[in-house]
Amino acid sequence: MAAIRVLPAPLVSQIAAGEVVERPASALKELIENSLDAGAREIAVHLAGGGAKSIKVADDGGGIARDELPLAIAPHATSKIASLDDLERVESLGFRGEALASMAAVSRLTLVSRRPDDKHAWTITASGDEISPPAPAALAGGTSVEVRDLYFNTPARRRFLKSEATEFAHCDGVVKRLALSRPDVAFSLQHNGRECLSLRAQPPGERVRTLVGGDFEAAALPIDDTAAGLRLRGAIGLPAHARSGRDAQYFFVNGRFVRDKLAAHAIRQAYQDVLHHDRHPAFVLFLDIDPRQVDVNVHPAKTEVRFRDSRAVHQFIFHALHRALGLSVAGGTPAGMPEAIAAPSFAAHAAFEPRNMRLGLAEPSAFYEKLFGRAVPATGNADDVAAAPGADAPLGYALAQLSGIYILAQNEHGLIIVDMHAAHERTTYEKLKGALDRQEIPMQPLLVPVVFTASALDVATAEENRETLRQIGFDVAPGSPTSLTVRAVPAALADADARELTSGVLQELRQYGASRVLTERRNELLSTMACHAAVRANRRLTVPEMNALLREMEATERSGQCNHGRPTWHQISIAELDRLFMRGR
Ligand SMILES: Nc1ncnc2c1ncn2[C@@H]1O[C@H](COP(=O)(O)OP(=O)(O)O)[C@@H](O)[C@H]1O
Ligand SMILES: [Mg+2]
């Protein structure tokens, strides 16, 4: 091994910079936070090339004095805290004094600033380890920082940058999150000279409506709760409007957007009974807490926090949401809430009118026909088919549907109970798996392409992964910068909600990348797809449809297990039933 030596200063700063400036969006976040800390009322962002080429943030805040310009870009120099005590009750967004220094280390940075009393502005430039002395410049007021050619001197880092569209989408997300946290500040965003966002200072509700979408506001429950020094404000989406991705989830602690596992868990738990496991609630929540009760200095990017009393925070969030959700259900089913969600309990099922349970009221059996690409005997009738259970049909013949969840069938040994969602998910999953193995997932062109509004990140993901999407049976293309057009889906999933399905798949792709999704994450992907297509609880099936599912199960490998490892069917023998009723034979 070589001798131990101290690294040269520029290399040290380049290494450190990687933690703060992970990608253009993280530089942008730091710059906007500086503007907010400087008391800006208006912030203008100009990006070029997804931010990799240039990020410029101009504000009308307090500005920096000429003599302090070199300090601003010096590492560990800050005007925001001076002692440990300050750190422990920090209220500004920044405090580590390393953002500008980090950016200067790995880009060409220009800082122009003018304090209200200055006769003119001053500028300073920095790049790598070179720093110019302050020089006079022109600027009406406030501060303008430009970061050009990010990672120009660290090529290894540069190679990790994604496409321009993806990097821009991340930047766009940063601006939206910060804009949500400060509706009192005006924001504008331009990319490659085109205006993408322009927000004047506005009331919080209006800001949420503009950024999260009108459908969220219309289908959201207001939250405002206080307890023991904690306050939670904002709105949470109704379960029926949950999404397939986590894109509409915003959680702020003292105005700072954070990704917090504890809060996520509390929120998830509050929704537990009313939300399917692969759906994600929309929410915009602001937690106000005594700064001394929370540590924001966990990671250089400051997107994680640690609560002193994490139990209390968890309980508080959980109860606030649980109460709100409980009220919404007790107060009558909100419009548009499907039965499956509004009536999840046994009590609710029991209250169904008996005639609702009757067979034959079901939706047309064409549903299953399409699903399985196989004709279902139209004349099937419970009495006929159940009369002759035989070895040719190991899972027997359907008798009835129970509680909108189970299929009851009779075979030669006795009673078969099938969890219809799990069973359908399993058969679909195996079908997809077989098709992907043979590299021929058949595509089903949609008669009418489905167009839906999508986040910039989803649009970019679809664009980058077009080939992979084709491989798994999707034809998805951007319709505009904010919409996607789905022209074809895997034939086995033709009846699924194309939008939900596509979003679910894009989410996987974004999270794990195309190559992992097709290899180690393959089964997870297929199971996500299958789950989206599988028949939901409370869909009433006709006897022929139920029989079609039983036959499909028999034909499918491993149909005894659902994708999550739950069983899909269970046999209760006549002997067991006899024992139950103490019938001697
Ligand atoms: N837009 C701005 N307006 C006024 N002052 C700024 C601005 N950006 C940076 N500064 C000054 O530069 C210092 C260093 O900034 P930075 O490196 O981001 O560290 P931090 O924000 O953690 O203090 C800040 O403490 C602040 O005094
Ligand atoms: Mg800062």
Side-chain angles (χ1 to χ4, degrees), residues 443 469-470 472-476 488-490 493 501-502 505 529:
M443 270 198 194
L469 284 163
R470 269 185 183 285
I472 54 176
F474 287 86
D475 180 356
V476 186
V489 295
L493 312 178
L501 182 62
T502 311
V505 169
M529 287 162 64

Side-chain angles (χ1 to χ4, degrees), residues 27 80 91 107 122 145 263 288 304 312 321 349 387 393 420 428 431 433 455 466 468 482 490-491 582-583:
K80 299 171 192 175
E91 288 186 49
S107 76
W122 291 92
V145 183
D288 297 326
E304 284 169 47
L321 267 57
H349 284 303
M420 67 183 202
T428 310
K431 225 181 285 179
K433 216 162 135 200
S455 70
R466 228 166 148 181
T468 309
T482 55
M582 299 182 210
R583 260 177 80 117

Side-chain angles (χ1 to χ4, degrees), residues 236-357:
I236 60 172
L238 289 173
H241 289 258
R243 313 186 177 198
S244 54
R246 289 175 223 272
D247 52 311
Q249 304 192 331
Y250 298 93
F251 183 69
F252 301 87
V253 175
N254 292 344
R256 181 193 302 279
F257 175 85
V258 296
R259 300 178 198 283
D260 184 55
K261 289 213 175 71
L262 179 94
H265 185 265
I267 295 167
R268 191 83 227 163
Q269 205 170 44
Y271 274 91
Q272 188 167 293
D273 291 341
V274 287
L275 202 63
H276 191 264
H277 64 87
D278 62 4
R279 309 284 293 158
H280 304 282
F283 55 82
V284 180
L285 290 170
F286 297 90
L287 178 72
D288 297 326
I289 180 173
D290 178 347
R292 272 174 283 237
Q293 294 298 316
V294 58
D295 184 2
V296 289
N297 192 22
V298 179
H299 185 269
K302 296 167 291 176
T303 46
E304 284 169 47
V305 290
R306 220 169 271 148
F307 296 105
R308 288 259 141 97
D309 188 350
S310 54
R311 246 183 81 87
V313 172
H314 186 281
Q315 289 291 79
F316 173 62
I317 298 174
F318 170 75
H319 284 297
L321 267 57
H322 198 253
R323 204 160 32 239
L325 288 165
L327 288 177
S328 89
V329 176
T333 305
M337 187 182 270
E339 274 178 299
I341 287 165
S345 66
F346 176 72
H349 284 303
F352 279 174
E353 293 269 318
R355 68 186 147 79
N356 284 350
M357 305 284 285

Side-chain angles (χ1 to χ4, degrees), residues 183-525:
D184 57 319
V185 175
F187 284 85
S188 67
L189 171 64
Q190 287 201 5
H191 185 215
N192 295 336
R194 232 191 55 235
E195 181 175 281
C196 310
L197 191 69
S198 171
L199 300 164
R200 54 191 168 73
Q202 54 197 160
E206 206 176 301
R207 181 68 52 102
V208 170
R209 195 175 321 139
T210 318
L211 290 176
V212 188
D215 61 330
F216 171 69
E217 219 207 33
L221 302 165
I223 301 282
D224 194 349
D225 254 290
T226 332
L230 298 169
R231 181 170 181 206
L232 191 68
R233 297 168 293 132
I236 60 172
L238 289 173
H241 289 258
R243 313 186 177 198
S244 54
R246 289 175 223 272
D247 52 311
Q249 304 192 331
Y250 298 93
F251 183 69
F252 301 87
V253 175
N254 292 344
R256 181 193 302 279
F257 175 85
V258 296
R259 300 178 198 283
D260 184 55
K261 289 213 175 71
L262 179 94
H265 185 265
I267 295 167
R268 191 83 227 163
Q269 205 170 44
Y271 274 91
Q272 188 167 293
D273 291 341
V274 287
L275 202 63
H276 191 264
H277 64 87
D278 62 4
R279 309 284 293 158
H280 304 282
F283 55 82
V284 180
L285 290 170
F286 297 90
L287 178 72
D288 297 326
I289 180 173
D290 178 347
R292 272 174 283 237
Q293 294 298 316
V294 58
D295 184 2
V296 289
N297 192 22
V298 179
H299 185 269
K302 296 167 291 176
T303 46
E304 284 169 47
V305 290
R306 220 169 271 148
F307 296 105
R308 288 259 141 97
D309 188 350
S310 54
R311 246 183 81 87
V313 172
H314 186 281
Q315 289 291 79
F316 173 62
I317 298 174
F318 170 75
H319 284 297
L321 267 57
H322 198 253
R323 204 160 32 239
L325 288 165
L327 288 177
S328 89
V329 176
T333 305
M337 187 182 270
E339 274 178 299
I341 287 165
S345 66
F346 176 72
H349 284 303
F352 279 174
E353 293 269 318
R355 68 186 147 79
N356 284 350
M357 305 284 285
R358 236 172 54 206
L359 299 167
L361 285 179
E363 288 161 49
S365 62
F367 165 69
Y368 254 78
E369 231 167 278
K370 264 198 281 165
L371 221 52
F372 294 129
R374 167 193 297 193
V376 172
T379 52
N381 151 327
D383 296 329
D384 300 349
V385 281
D392 56 323
L395 290 176
Y397 294 96
L399 299 169
Q401 192 180 5
L402 177 67
S403 250
I405 296 173
Y406 299 106
I407 294 171
L408 304 183
Q410 174 181 352
N411 69 357
E412 54 181 334
H413 305 294
L415 180 67
I416 296 268
I417 305 173
V418 175
D419 177 333
M420 67 183 202
H421 173 80
H424 187 212
E425 189 174 334
R426 183 82 226 176
T427 53
T428 310
Y429 172 79
E430 292 296 342
K431 225 181 285 179
L432 286 170
K433 216 162 135 200
L436 193 56
D437 283 342
R438 294 188 300 275
Q439 306 210 317
E440 48 167 31
I441 292 200
M443 270 198 194
Q444 168 83 57
L446 300 175
L447 271 181
V448 183
V450 174
V451 181
F452 59 91
T453 46
S455 70
L457 213 47
D458 272 346
V459 173
T461 309
E463 210 161 16
E464 267 175 45
N465 296 287
R466 228 166 148 181
E467 226 0 83
T468 309
L469 284 163
R470 269 185 183 285
Q471 241 172 302
I472 54 176
F474 287 86
D475 180 356
V476 186
S480 73
T482 55
S483 74
L484 285 172
T485 308
V486 183
R487 294 210 183 76
V489 295
L493 312 178
D495 274 288
D497 180 324
R499 172 194 172 145
E500 298 290 330
L501 182 62
T502 311
S503 310
V505 169
L506 289 176
Q507 168 107 356
E508 281 275 320
L509 278 170
R510 190 162 68 223
Q511 202 167 348
Y512 301 101
S515 59
R516 284 184 67 194
V517 158
L518 286 180
T519 52
E520 62 195 275
R521 295 278 312 169
R522 197 181 91 128
N523 294 352
E524 281 83 354
L525 171 78

Side-chain angles (χ1 to χ4, degrees), residues 34-35 38 59 63-64 72 77-80 94-101 143:
N34 280 347
S35 296
D59 65 51
I64 306 169
T78 178
S79 57
K80 299 171 192 175
F95 54 83
R96 297 173 55 106
E98 58 186 6
L100 289 183
T143 303

Side-chain angles (χ1 to χ4, degrees), residues 18-247:
E19 301 223 315
V20 188
V21 189
E22 201 197 330
R23 62 185 340 154
S26 24
L28 177 60
K29 167 181 168 288
E30 295 294 335
L31 293 176
I32 299 179
E33 288 187 348
N34 280 347
S35 296
L36 291 172
D37 281 343
R41 313 303 308 164
E42 196 172 339
I43 297 175
V45 178
H46 288 81
L47 302 173
K53 212 186 240 167
S54 157
I55 304 169
K56 188 170 151 202
V57 175
D59 65 51
D60 58 354
I64 306 169
R66 175 197 177 280
D67 296 342
E68 292 185 2
L69 285 173
L71 271 178
I73 51 175
H76 314 297
T78 178
S79 57
K80 299 171 192 175
I81 58 169
S83 65
L84 180 64
D85 197 38
D86 290 347
L87 174 63
E88 284 179 351
R89 55 191 160 88
V90 67
E91 288 186 49
S92 53
L93 293 166
F95 54 83
R96 297 173 55 106
E98 58 186 6
L100 289 183
S102 299
M103 288 178 234
V106 293
S107 76
R108 302 181 216 275
L109 182 136
T110 309
L111 178 57
V112 191
S113 196
R114 178 172 176 178
R115 298 190 51 92
D117 302 338
D118 291 347
K119 289 203 188 62
H120 57 77
W122 291 92
T123 181
I124 186 172
T125 57
S127 150
D129 50 347
E130 291 164 34
I131 299 179
S132 74
L139 187 76
T143 303
S144 166
V145 183
E146 185 174 19
V147 171
R148 277 183 304 117
D149 306 327
L150 197 58
Y151 304 133
F152 77 97
N153 52 358
T154 42
R157 195 86 209 183
R158 197 169 55 228
R159 278 195 292 275
F160 275 99
L161 293 181
K162 294 280 185 338
S163 72
E164 173 172 335
T166 295
E167 294 303 338
F168 170 70
H170 283 285
C171 291
D172 185 56
V174 159
V175 175
K176 286 196 173 131
R177 293 198 280 269
L178 286 157
L180 270 177
S181 76
R182 291 296 300 273
D184 57 319
V185 175
F187 284 85
S188 67
L189 171 64
Q190 287 201 5
H191 185 215
N192 295 336
R194 232 191 55 235
E195 181 175 281
C196 310
L197 191 69
S198 171
L199 300 164
R200 54 191 168 73
Q202 54 197 160
E206 206 176 301
R207 181 68 52 102
V208 170
R209 195 175 321 139
T210 318
L211 290 176
V212 188
D215 61 330
F216 171 69
E217 219 207 33
L221 302 165
I223 301 282
D224 194 349
D225 254 290
T226 332
L230 298 169
R231 181 170 181 206
L232 191 68
R233 297 168 293 132
I236 60 172
L238 289 173
H241 289 258
R243 313 186 177 198
S244 54
R246 289 175 223 272
D247 52 311

